[in-house]
Amino acid sequence: MSLHQRPHQKPAAAADSLPASPSAAPPSRPLPLLTLPYLFSLLALLLLLSLLFPWGPTHPSAPASPWRGYTLQEAAAFAAGAGNGTILLAAVSGPYLPFLSNWLISVRRAGRADQVLVVAEDYKTLERINAAWPGHAVLVPPAPDAQIAHKFGSQGFFNFTSRRPRHLLQILELGYSVMYNDVDMVWLADPFPYIVGDHDVYFMDDMTPVKPLDHSHDLPPPGKKGRTYICSCMIFLRPTEGAKLLLRKWIEELKEQPWSKKQKANDQPAFNWALNKTAGQVDVYLLPQSAFPTGGLYFKNKTWVKETKGKHVIIHNNYITGFEKKIKRFRDHGLWLVDEHSDESPLGRI
């Protein structure tokens, strides 16, 4: 056969008509993709992707609250603008809002509500106050865990109150005068007429023994623990070097006397040590006891209350712990105003 001659091939039809050899393998078929297990796997994958990456038009997220970027400098200017350079400061977390509202009713009756600036100790409280009363609350970062109603003497209470001198110092550094009040207080009259003279710092005594009506306005002598018992609940400060010195010393004392299980401190002992250690460097003024009595005197000495009737200005509901006990005592003395006068509060009904 020639090399260029093709071999003779049988027609394909004839070849196909031959029976297959029993040992020959059947021709392979492509496996079908759309089997039942495959479909289930595909559907599961599509479901997962739809959860991770939603299809269709996306909705823009809610705009961030403008109050989260509201600074103490802005808030202080806002409050001081209504008070001729003087701010009325309080600090609260969520559980204390009923007390804030009660205090605000009394402050508003004295015509001083526009000067109020509230340091909110959590974002929920910041939003709640400013939603009802725009501009009157600010949060100074970092925000502590303030959703819990901390008990007096607890570490949470210490952490909450120990921020106070820093807030006050920042306001003085901005050039404003400031009066601080605890919110478990009620005003019976305007306290500012009692801020007489040109002193650096004004405060009230926390002792219960009755003083003469014409008692000295100097810093009282130290008590049994070697320090005075001035209340850090109500303080008025002018933006003087003396007042700033006292606040810096207060901050130092808090660092030196941290809270521990053995010594359940709060901010008041440190404040008194600061007063004692800066004596002679700071011009201080003790407010009259008849106008600014401690709760241990006003709520427990009926004879004294009767003798000084008409002289009381700010009542502090201290010498008692627990929200319910404080509320009951206020109610018993006709000082829980939110029950019948919530419409007078800038916050409305809490």
Side-chain angles (χ1 to χ4, degrees):
M1 180 181 297
S2 168
L3 292 175
H4 301 285
Q5 185 179 4
R6 293 185 181 181
H8 177 72
Q9 295 182 354
K10 294 182 179 180
D16 291 344
S17 64
L18 295 176
S21 168
S23 61
S28 61
R29 296 180 182 176
L31 294 174
L33 294 177
L34 299 179
T35 60
L36 206 56
Y38 178 84
L39 284 173
F40 279 123
S41 300
L42 183 61
L43 288 172
L45 178 61
L46 290 174
L47 180 61
L48 177 62
L49 289 173
S50 69
L51 293 174
L52 294 175
F53 308 102
W55 296 348
T58 58
H59 300 283
S61 58
S65 167
W67 301 116
R68 296 208 172 202
Y70 191 47
T71 66
L72 181 60
Q73 183 175 359
E74 293 171 320
F78 173 76
N84 196 25
T86 298
I87 295 168
L88 185 53
L89 190 74
V92 296
S93 58
Y96 292 85
L97 280 173
F99 284 92
L100 173 65
S101 189
N102 195 69
W103 174 74
L104 281 173
I105 292 170
S106 69
V107 171
R108 197 174 200 177
R109 288 177 175 180
R112 297 282 182 176
D114 288 344
Q115 295 173 239
V116 170
L117 177 59
V118 180
V119 175
E121 297 291 0
D122 60 85
Y123 285 107
K124 186 176 181 181
T125 301
L126 172 71
E127 302 293 343
R128 171 66 181 83
I129 296 172
N130 280 336
W133 202 27
H136 284 276
V138 66
L139 188 145
V140 182
D145 176 17
Q147 287 297 325
I148 303 170
H150 297 297
K151 292 183 179 180
F152 181 84
S154 68
Q155 185 173 7
F157 186 84
F158 175 81
N159 294 342
F160 177 80
T161 58
S162 62
R163 288 163 54 88
R164 183 183 310 171
R166 295 183 183 277
H167 301 329
L168 293 170
L169 181 58
Q170 285 179 285
I171 290 173
L172 295 193
E173 295 286 7
L174 292 170
Y176 305 118
S177 296
V178 57
M179 176 182 284
Y180 172 82
N181 275 193
D182 278 355
V183 293
D184 60 344
M185 291 181 147
V186 169
W187 288 20
L188 302 183
D190 186 353
F192 281 91
Y194 294 81
I195 307 299
V196 295
D198 196 26
H199 307 282
D200 296 325
V201 184
Y202 300 70
F203 42 70
M204 56 183 278
D205 204 342
D206 208 19
M207 297 293 286
T208 58
V210 175
K211 299 177 184 291
L213 291 178
D214 60 349
H215 68 74
S216 169
H217 298 289
D218 295 335
L219 185 68
K224 294 179 180 179
K225 295 184 178 180
R227 55 174 167 78
T228 50
Y229 290 87
I230 300 301
C231 192
S232 60
C233 56
M234 187 276 179
I235 313 167
F236 178 82
L237 306 106
R238 288 195 168 93
T240 61
E241 290 307 311
K244 294 174 188 177
L245 173 66
L246 174 63
L247 291 175
R248 291 191 186 102
K249 190 61 181 174
W250 187 2
I251 293 168
E252 288 178 15
E253 291 295 322
L254 283 167
K255 290 179 180 177
E256 293 177 8
Q257 302 174 44
W259 185 91
S260 66
K261 290 184 178 180
K262 183 177 180 181
Q263 185 176 349
K264 298 180 178 180
N266 58 75
D267 70 308
Q268 188 160 303
F271 176 58
N272 279 273
W273 284 119
L275 280 169
N276 298 161
K277 292 180 180 180
T278 58
Q281 302 175 69
V282 183
D283 184 0
V284 302
Y285 184 89
L286 177 66
L287 291 162
Q289 184 188 54
S290 57
F292 302 88
T294 185
L297 175 60
Y298 182 84
F299 292 108
K300 296 184 178 181
N301 191 328
K302 293 181 181 179
T303 301
W304 179 87
V305 170
K306 188 177 294 185
E307 290 174 351
T308 55
K309 185 178 180 180
K311 298 181 183 296
H312 314 135
V313 176
I314 293 183
I315 306 303
H316 188 201
N317 197 354
N318 63 344
Y319 277 77
I320 191 172
T321 59
F323 277 27
E324 294 305 320
K325 290 180 180 179
K326 283 178 179 280
I327 291 171
K328 183 181 184 303
R329 189 158 76 171
F330 264 158
R331 279 193 176 122
D332 290 345
H333 289 78
L335 298 175
W336 190 242
L337 308 175
V338 294
D339 279 344
E340 297 180 3
H341 305 282
S342 61
D343 58 315
E344 296 182 47
S345 170
L347 305 182
R349 182 172 293 278
I350 298 296

